[in-house]
């Protein structure tokens, strides 16, 4: 059972180097029909999928479901704006780790306050700020992954030689998985906190209305 772990590591690090978010200026400044939206997303995010030749970035069914679940404002005359596309990009990255209800909770305040808002601070400003943080994290992630990989190479020293590489790869995956688990748990706790604050504000408003009556 042989696994070339060095090749695995290099592949992971190279994939991090290829990560590049869709910049706001790359999003068409015209409203798009659904087919145009899916084509745009495919052309820019296809390389990020596990199986680029088979996996779909976005489908018409997905977009319709997002609208039905209030993740996405409805299109205007069947056309989607740049802000629709920005929200879809957020949803694309979130959906791999968060539930629909959590994404809804996270994006609802953003959509309510900044979607099509005629204010100095726009959804585009939020989009650029949020995704601009991504590039700063690449070098940190690469160093962290490299450290975990080297640590995994020191595990299972007493295991049978023919199983050593597999077990060390297993250890590497375990460390990465635990990291994902903890961060996912943290994100969920933070979203639950947002939900609790929103519920508290709603109860306070209801109490005030009842008092006034």
């Amino acid at each position: 059972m042989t696994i070339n772990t060095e090749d695995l590591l290099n592949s992971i690090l190279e994939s991090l180097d290829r990560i590049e978010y869709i910049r706001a200026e790359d999003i068409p400044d015209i409203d798009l029909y659904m087919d145009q939206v899916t084509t745009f997303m495919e052309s820019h995010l296809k390389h990020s999928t596990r199986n680029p030749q088979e996996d779909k970035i976005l489908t018409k069914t997905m977009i319709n479901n997002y609208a039905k679940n209030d993740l996405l404002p409805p299109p205007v005359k069947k056309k989607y704006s740049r802000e629709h596309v920005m929200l879809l990009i957020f949803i694309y990255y979130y959906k791999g780790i968060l539930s629909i209800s959590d994404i809804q909770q996270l994006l609802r305040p953003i959509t309510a306050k900044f979607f099509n808002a005629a204010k100095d601070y726009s959804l585009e400003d939020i989009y650029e700020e949020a995704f601009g943080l991504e590039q700063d994290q690449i070098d940190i992630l690469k160093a962290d992954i490299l450290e975990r990989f080297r640590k995994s190479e020191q595990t299972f020293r007493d295991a049978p030689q023919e199983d050593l590489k597999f077990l060390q790869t297993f250890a590497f995956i375990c460390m990465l998985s635990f990291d994902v688990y903890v961060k996912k748990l943290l994100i969920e706790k933070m979203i639950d906190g947002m939900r609790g604050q929103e519920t508290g504000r709603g109860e306070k408003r209801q109490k005030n209305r009842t008092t006034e009556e």
Side-chain angles (χ1 to χ4, degrees), residues 13-71:
L13 296 179
E14 287 173 4
S15 68
L16 288 176
D17 286 331
R18 291 195 299 270
I19 292 176
E20 184 176 355
Y21 77 98
I22 302 175
R23 300 184 182 278
E25 60 261 30
D26 295 332
I27 302 173
D29 199 17
I30 57 172
D31 293 345
L32 303 174
Y33 286 108
M34 187 179 288
D35 284 342
Q36 294 173 309
V37 172
T38 57
T39 298
F40 173 82
M41 295 286 281
E42 287 282 331
S43 64
H44 284 78
L45 296 173
K46 193 74 170 178
H47 67 278
S48 68
T49 61
R50 186 176 186 176
N51 300 298
Q53 302 304 317
E54 302 173 12
D55 295 340
K56 289 289 185 182
I57 298 295
L58 198 63
T59 65
K60 295 179 181 179
T61 301
M62 291 179 189
I63 294 177
N64 287 330
N65 285 338
Y66 297 153
K68 288 178 182 177
N69 285 282
D70 297 324
L71 271 70

Side-chain angles (χ1 to χ4, degrees), residues 28 30-35 37 60 63-64 67 72-85 88:
I30 57 172
D31 293 345
L32 303 174
Y33 286 108
M34 187 179 288
D35 284 342
V37 172
K60 295 179 181 179
I63 294 177
N64 287 330
L72 193 71
V76 178
K77 296 181 180 179
K78 297 184 178 181
K79 285 189 174 183
Y80 297 83
S81 67
R82 295 177 78 245
E83 292 184 323
H84 279 108
V85 176
L88 284 169

Side-chain angles (χ1 to χ4, degrees), residues 81-88 114-117 122-124:
S81 67
R82 295 177 78 245
E83 292 184 323
H84 279 108
V85 176
M86 290 175 194
L87 288 174
L88 284 169
F114 299 104
F115 188 86
N116 283 342
S122 67
L123 180 60
E124 181 172 335

Side-chain angles (χ1 to χ4, degrees), residues 25-210:
E25 60 261 30
D26 295 332
I27 302 173
D29 199 17
I30 57 172
D31 293 345
L32 303 174
Y33 286 108
M34 187 179 288
D35 284 342
Q36 294 173 309
V37 172
T38 57
T39 298
F40 173 82
M41 295 286 281
E42 287 282 331
S43 64
H44 284 78
L45 296 173
K46 193 74 170 178
H47 67 278
S48 68
T49 61
R50 186 176 186 176
N51 300 298
Q53 302 304 317
E54 302 173 12
D55 295 340
K56 289 289 185 182
I57 298 295
L58 198 63
T59 65
K60 295 179 181 179
T61 301
M62 291 179 189
I63 294 177
N64 287 330
N65 285 338
Y66 297 153
K68 288 178 182 177
N69 285 282
D70 297 324
L71 271 70
L72 193 71
V76 178
K77 296 181 180 179
K78 297 184 178 181
K79 285 189 174 183
Y80 297 83
S81 67
R82 295 177 78 245
E83 292 184 323
H84 279 108
V85 176
M86 290 175 194
L87 288 174
L88 284 169
I89 294 169
F90 276 121
I91 293 168
Y92 170 74
Y93 285 111
Y94 291 147
K95 69 185 179 72
I97 56 171
L98 297 177
S99 66
I100 290 294
S101 63
D102 280 347
I103 299 174
Q104 183 188 61
Q105 179 65 42
L106 190 57
L107 291 182
R108 185 191 298 121
I110 301 293
T111 303
K113 191 169 185 179
F114 299 104
F115 188 86
N116 283 342
K119 296 181 179 180
D120 293 336
Y121 208 72
S122 67
L123 180 60
E124 181 172 335
D125 293 320
I126 294 172
Y127 178 88
E128 285 284 17
E129 185 81 18
F131 280 100
L133 297 171
E134 178 183 283
Q135 192 59 46
D136 294 336
Q137 294 299 307
I138 296 298
D139 289 340
I140 297 173
L141 281 171
K142 289 172 70 174
D144 180 65
I145 289 171
L146 186 58
E147 180 183 354
R148 291 168 192 264
F149 177 77
R150 296 309 178 199
K151 187 175 292 187
S152 73
E153 289 186 311
Q154 304 306 313
T155 62
F156 294 108
R157 287 303 188 183
D158 296 331
Q161 189 62 36
E162 66 269 20
D163 296 324
L164 181 59
K165 286 298 183 182
F166 167 75
L167 290 173
Q168 289 177 342
T169 300
F170 177 74
F172 184 37
I173 291 172
C174 285
M175 284 189 284
L176 294 175
S177 298
F178 182 70
D179 184 67
V180 172
Y181 165 76
V182 171
K183 289 177 179 177
K184 182 175 184 290
L185 185 62
L186 174 61
I187 293 169
E188 290 172 343
K189 291 291 185 183
M190 293 172 69
I191 292 174
D192 288 342
M194 294 176 183
R195 189 174 286 116
Q197 290 176 353
E198 189 175 273
T199 300
R201 287 193 295 268
E203 290 174 351
K204 184 176 180 179
R205 286 194 295 269
Q206 180 62 36
K207 183 178 179 179
N208 289 340
R209 283 198 295 268
T210 302

